Amino acid sequence: MQQALTLLNGLTPAQFMAEYWQKKPLLIRGAMPDFKGLLDPSELAGLACDAEVPSRLIQFDPERQQAGRGWQVTQGPFDDEDFAALPAQHWTLLVQGVNHVLPEAQALLSQFSFIPNARLDDVMVSYAPTGGGVGAHIDSYDVFLLQGAGKRRWRISQQTDLRLIPDAPLRILSHFECEQEWVLEPGDMLYLPPNVAHWGISEDDDCMTYSIGFRAPAARELAIEFLEACRQENLPDELYRDPDLQPVTDASSVSEEMVNHVADMMRRLPWQAEQLGPFLAKYFSEPKAYVVFSPNRKLSLEKFKQRAAQSGIVLDLQTQMLHWQGHYFINGESVPKMDANLLNILANCRQLAVSLCQGDTLDSLLPWLHEVYQAGYVHLAEKSG
Ligand code: SIN
Ligand code: CO
């Protein structure tokens, strides 16, 4: 609890949610007092050379800034030569999904476990030498911007002018009216709700910022995905019916009655909690497109049981496990109905400790655990990545 209070400027998670979450920015000095970062610039560059880790380089040439020219975005993976060719200043390296490859970043996320995992996007880490930044922009995400090494000047604005620089390779506001600004030092954190304009500029040559981002899906995106799930899962469907149809004289017209019938039909689609709940748990647990699981080497069920009893079991860093009313999904796949307590521990703590893996406690889960172990969704505890 003490840790949560420091993290949120002395507020409890409930107070933070009531006053700030999705409502207004909050600067938290010393949110993580001892935080110096989880990796150094060369380790981040190393991740950006890995084809399975999404990364971008953003460069800005201050001499060509008129009319928004001068911005350049390059997608990773990169190599040593790309980094060697960079100028001394005015660029930023952004690496997404660091929680998928770094256990310490996953552990960092556990400090935010008062926010549902279904809202979580990822941990992005940026590195920038002096003057580097991604320009003034808005995000549609809630984000906690935690400063690692170095210093970053954050300028923010609640402006309503959201016009963007035309033809720039990234979404940069064409006018930015700074309303507040702070220099964040290691362990300081800035919470921003969606749509607050912000501009972070590195103040020195080792600036690293950790963005803990929470996604907010759009209604249209959810509706499209849900209807697709209805189709795939053969959820109840009905045919258009018009037993009250009257003869028409204008056969080319789509009548008001037809529109009303269809509107009623659509309202009767299974948008109910019993269908939406499992759909959301499945959908939000689906891995992002770039995620690849490496299958574990084959082990008999008996051997797997013995090894689990010695070391315990952990979720792969990329695995997401969510449930709706006890119906669990792992990486977008339905989990058979089993001991809900154990599944809940696995989903929330991301591990089953040795004590839970001994004796016969785990027996009902074992065939399933063995299967997801082979798929690489879980590991024996000594291998956590
Ligand atoms: C950064 O870390 O440079 C960018 C983070 C953001 O503005 O969302
Ligand atoms: Co941003």
Side-chain angles (χ1 to χ4, degrees):
M1 186 61 165
Q2 191 50 46
Q3 201 179 25
L5 289 177
T6 311
L7 182 76
L8 300 171
N9 223 19
L11 301 172
T12 62
Q15 288 166 328
F16 167 77
M17 294 303 207
E19 229 179 297
Y20 295 96
W21 176 253
Q22 294 252 295
K23 299 170 195 73
K24 56 184 183 193
L26 176 64
L27 171 72
I28 309 160
R29 292 277 178 211
M32 294 191 198
D34 302 321
F35 189 72
K36 303 269 181 296
L38 306 176
L39 22 74
D40 63 28
S42 60
E43 288 166 327
L44 190 71
L47 290 182
C49 295
D50 182 337
E52 285 174 14
V53 181
S55 60
R56 276 167 298 160
L57 257 174
I58 295 170
Q59 285 176 261
F60 175 63
D61 179 352
E63 276 161 28
R64 297 181 59 226
Q65 68 178 305
Q66 262 114 355
R69 285 191 300 273
W71 290 96
Q72 194 189 319
V73 181
T74 323
Q75 306 289 337
F78 302 101
D79 57 30
D80 291 348
E81 279 171 28
D82 295 318
F83 291 118
L86 285 168
Q89 294 191 343
H90 300 292
W91 56 269
T92 293
L93 172 65
L94 302 171
V95 179
Q96 298 281 157
V98 175
N99 52 312
H100 289 161
V101 286
L102 200 70
E104 294 80 2
Q106 184 61 252
L108 178 69
L109 277 180
S110 66
Q111 301 213 35
F112 297 86
S113 63
F114 56 91
I115 303 166
N117 288 345
R119 288 283 266 110
L120 178 69
D121 189 39
D122 69 350
V123 178
M124 178 184 86
V125 183
S126 70
Y127 165 76
T130 307
V134 299
H137 65 281
I138 56 161
D139 294 317
S140 50
Y141 284 13
D142 299 83
V143 66
F144 293 88
L145 298 156
L146 171 66
Q147 189 61 27
K151 293 189 195 135
R152 183 181 288 274
R153 179 175 299 274
W154 282 106
R155 300 191 166 123
I156 68 165
S157 168
Q158 311 258 23
Q159 66 190 54
T160 48
D161 179 356
L162 302 181
R163 281 172 301 163
L164 301 174
I165 293 176
D167 305 324
L170 67 174
R171 295 164 56 85
I172 299 175
L173 295 167
S174 45
H175 302 98
F176 179 74
E177 308 251 336
C178 174
E179 291 167 0
Q180 282 176 291
E181 77 177 86
W182 309 275
V183 175
L184 269 67
E185 302 199 9
D188 293 346
M189 188 165 77
L190 177 62
Y191 163 72
L192 295 178
N195 299 327
V196 173
H198 53 287
W199 188 357
I201 303 166
S202 164
E203 290 267 301
D204 47 31
D205 277 344
D206 62 350
C207 175
M208 298 192 73
T209 302
Y210 293 69
S211 296
I212 297 116
F214 291 87
R215 63 178 167 183
R220 197 160 42 192
E221 174 197 326
L222 285 178
I224 291 168
E225 294 293 336
F226 179 64
L227 291 175
E228 177 56 22
C230 289
R231 192 180 65 79
Q232 282 180 14
E233 286 164 34
N234 277 327
L235 287 178
D237 205 355
E238 68 176 74
L239 287 179
Y240 181 83
R241 291 183 69 249
D242 51 3
D244 49 358
L245 183 65
Q246 302 293 312
V248 296
T249 49
D250 180 1
S252 61
S253 157
V254 171
S255 68
E256 207 182 312
E257 286 77 25
M258 182 174 234
V259 172
N260 290 338
H261 273 313
V262 171
D264 282 345
M265 252 175 111
M266 293 211 175
R267 271 192 284 274
R268 282 193 296 274
L269 277 168
W271 305 109
Q272 314 303 327
E274 306 85 76
Q275 288 88 19
L276 277 177
F279 159 72
L280 290 178
K282 176 178 190 299
Y283 176 65
F284 287 129
S285 73
E286 270 163 15
K288 296 192 179 186
Y290 63 81
V291 166
V292 181
F293 290 95
S294 313
N296 280 304
R297 71 186 176 85
K298 292 220 179 316
L299 214 57
S300 70
L301 183 62
E302 201 43 45
K303 198 100 197 131
F304 175 70
K305 182 178 172 169
Q306 274 171 20
R307 299 275 306 275
Q310 286 158 5
S311 65
I313 284 168
V314 290
L315 292 186
D316 183 85
L317 289 173
Q318 304 183 107
T319 286
Q320 183 64 281
M321 216 177 145
L322 298 174
H323 76 100
W324 179 75
Q325 297 197 346
H327 183 179
Y328 281 79
F329 291 84
I330 187 167
N331 300 329
E333 295 170 20
S334 176
V335 176
K337 283 248 170 328
M338 287 176 296
D339 186 327
N341 273 339
L342 287 174
L343 288 177
N344 201 269
I345 294 171
L346 186 60
N348 281 300
C349 307
R350 302 190 63 86
Q351 60 168 320
L352 292 172
V354 172
S355 56
L356 292 172
C357 299
Q358 289 172 340
D360 55 7
T361 320
L362 214 55
D363 280 3
S364 64
L365 259 68
L366 264 178
W368 171 76
L369 277 172
H370 184 233
E371 208 176 285
V372 288
Y373 165 77
Q374 314 236 62
Y377 295 178
V378 307
H379 305 288
L380 293 159
E382 68 260 9
K383 184 179 175 230
S384 61

